[in-house]
Amino acid sequence: MSAPGRRTVTGGLAALALSNAIRKPAMAQPAAPELILHNGRITTLDRGEPSPQAVAVTAGRFSVVGEAREILPTAGPGTRVIDLRGRRLIPGLIDNHLHVIRGGLNFNMELRWDGVRSLATAMEMLKAQVAITPPPQWVRVVGGFTEHQFAEKRLPTLDEINAVAPDTPVFLLHLYDRALLNAAALRVAGYTKDTPNPPGGEIQRGPDGTPTGLLLAKPNATVLYATLAKGPTLPFDYQLNSTRHFLRDLNRLGVTGAIDAGGGYQNYPDDYKVVQKLAEDGELTVRIAYNLFTQKPKAEKEDFLRWTQTARYQQGDDYFRLNGAGEMLVFSAADFEDFRVERPEMPPEMEPELEAVVRILVQNRWPWRLHATYDQTISRALDVFEKVNAEMPIGDLHWIFDHAETVSERSLERIARLGGGVAVQHRMAYQGEYFVERYGARAAEATPPVARMLEMGVKVSAGTDATRVASYNPWVALSWLVTGRTVGGLRITPERNTLDRDTALRMLTENVTWFSNEEGKKGRIVVGQLADLAVLDRDYFEVPGDEIGDITSLLTVVGGKVVHGAGDYASLAPPLPPAMPDWSPVRRFGGYQNRRAEKPGAAGAFARAVAGCCDAACGLHGHDHARAWAANVPAGNDQGFWGALGCSCWAF
């Protein structure tokens, strides 16, 4: 039999190919991206592709990063194409230490002085809020500011507060060092001549022993926390609304992720139900990795035994997940950061109590974070960590120290050797003047020694420690890292110890991912990473240093979805229900007070539109606000209760 010719072979292969083509469907074309952004200054923080012309997003992740001529033609009928018009686009900011869960529960009840530039303006805001706050509610200014940010360089006096609020309780928290209460707040809090000073705190008194309204942390802030906890709280649905508004204000500042550090009076799991509900409903607009903070002095071990048995490290998803323990592990190790008073000496029981908790965490392979301001505390904690590590290795646990303002190079070497990290925050931007006053300008030059940490290769990232001891605005943190100045303008960090803008930006993006064990998942604009980004209202890399703190986002995207839009992108912003209750300070003033924003005290467009909505009885629900506000205990009936909280016709 003769061998087949070439034509026969070729024809046979062609027939085979045709047969296969009939049996097998043609390869499907790649799905069109859901989002394309182009024509801007794109900063990826990816050294292999630092400044692409465009990016595409598919299924919540960056799918293409590169040339516009290659990406734009891939758009399909359902692709949203956004022209950046030359604006700067960066990875979404991630805060390494933000009390976001607690902050969200209370946001709608708080008047924010964050960013306000004069005490006169702040007092105008206070007066306006007092006028619309119904009994039994308080007007609260709960941290986030310092007297040094004001042109007047002082706090209001108690007489000034009482003058604008003779009947409405006012609670004003300044950092973690003091609280100012007017006479009405003293009455409802129950402070009298007979009230003893709490441990580590002082109730300042007049000559006859009557409390004046000034509460001092010396240095323990428990007296401040405990007093604030006496105020009314919002019902669950209002807390949902409040948290959504707080997250949206974070989005306005370009924040797409945060590590929640727990907090005093933040009980697990009860106080996590609101954010859990938002996560289940797909309404979280900031990714949250949360740590569990013990609430019971001398019962910390029992807390962590219970939690490690009932919860699983990393349980959850990319939006809401358990990140370990802390920042409070044991109360005996808590060196409160009030630089107006002497450094506290930790008690001798610190080491055995800390060791007992750390052993539980290591046995269950839970990471931890430990609040530690001073090197003396850090050194003693390291003795414990090294002892445990000798028996059970801790190097792969992503454990960290928080704050570490006065950490020594020797302690940094020990941290690095044990595989730990340091999470710094911009507390010195708010307390730098007090630190210099006590310890001197020379001591403040590397407090904390961020540049040296980076040189040594220590795992380090940045955040805010908001909402009380500092503001939640991450651009203030970036300004502090770059310029070395406090919000009051004092230069505390010399240029040799400051960071360049690229390095500083990495401190609030990709560096943070090690602290939540999410390296490679987010923090940069790279194919495969979560599509979290912010388009800025001005160029971070070009504005003068003293303007960095005023940057905001015009467009914020989380998981490929627009969560905030302003200016040219306002129409892209998803709807947000009005802040509840209807007397909420957020309705009139919003959150962080940007220097370029509308004059503080002036009602925003929405507030103007709804002004007078609830001045009378609500025809839908039948409550009468005036009668409810005048009642001593409006919670006794449904109509009066909701009338005092605010119009429930906004409860959607």
Side-chain angles (χ1 to χ4, degrees), residues 109-122:
M109 293 193 295
E110 296 177 355
L111 177 66
R112 305 303 306 181
W113 281 359
D114 309 39
V116 176
R117 304 303 170 118
S118 77
L119 178 60
T121 298

Side-chain angles (χ1 to χ4, degrees), residues 408-460:
S408 67
E409 187 155 328
R410 168 62 178 149
S411 291
L412 290 173
E413 291 170 351
R414 296 170 70 188
I415 293 169
R417 189 162 53 246
L418 287 171
V422 179
V424 302
Q425 293 82 38
H426 64 178
R427 302 193 309 182
M428 285 293 286
Y430 291 83
Q431 299 192 59
E433 285 85 354
Y434 302 133
F435 188 93
V436 169
E437 183 179 335
R438 175 164 291 276
Y439 298 107
R442 182 70 179 271
E445 290 184 353
T447 302
V450 179
R452 183 59 181 145
M453 293 179 198
L454 290 166
E455 291 173 3
M456 295 175 65
V458 176
K459 296 291 186 181
V460 59

Side-chain angles (χ1 to χ4, degrees), residues 399-578:
W399 61 269
I400 65 172
F401 283 108
D402 269 313
H403 319 310
E405 273 83 4
T406 70
V407 64
S408 67
E409 187 155 328
R410 168 62 178 149
S411 291
L412 290 173
E413 291 170 351
R414 296 170 70 188
I415 293 169
R417 189 162 53 246
L418 287 171
V422 179
V424 302
Q425 293 82 38
H426 64 178
R427 302 193 309 182
M428 285 293 286
Y430 291 83
Q431 299 192 59
E433 285 85 354
Y434 302 133
F435 188 93
V436 169
E437 183 179 335
R438 175 164 291 276
Y439 298 107
R442 182 70 179 271
E445 290 184 353
T447 302
V450 179
R452 183 59 181 145
M453 293 179 198
L454 290 166
E455 291 173 3
M456 295 175 65
V458 176
K459 296 291 186 181
V460 59
S461 64
T464 65
D465 197 9
T467 57
R468 296 177 178 176
V469 76
S471 175
Y472 55 86
N473 186 348
W475 296 102
V476 175
L478 285 162
S479 176
W480 165 68
L481 290 169
V482 169
T483 70
R485 294 186 182 276
T486 69
V487 294
L490 178 66
R491 180 68 178 263
I492 56 174
T493 309
E495 186 174 353
R496 67 179 183 277
N497 291 336
T498 59
L499 305 184
D500 64 78
R501 299 191 190 200
D502 180 86
T503 301
L505 183 59
R506 292 176 190 274
M507 289 278 288
L508 278 119
T509 50
E510 66 170 338
N511 284 21
V512 184
T513 62
W514 182 89
F515 293 74
S516 58
N517 207 359
E518 295 176 289
E519 290 175 291
K521 181 176 285 189
K522 61 183 182 180
R524 294 185 296 157
I525 297 176
V526 179
V527 171
Q529 290 205 12
L530 295 169
D532 303 343
L533 60 88
V535 179
L536 308 182
D537 69 339
R538 66 201 95 170
D539 196 330
Y540 162 69
F541 290 99
E542 294 188 358
V543 297
D546 63 356
E547 293 185 16
I548 293 175
D550 295 320
I551 292 175
T552 61
S553 175
L554 291 175
L555 179 73
T556 305
V557 173
V558 178
K561 298 179 179 179
V562 175
V563 296
H564 162 74
D568 292 341
Y569 310 112
S571 63
L572 304 181
L576 182 67

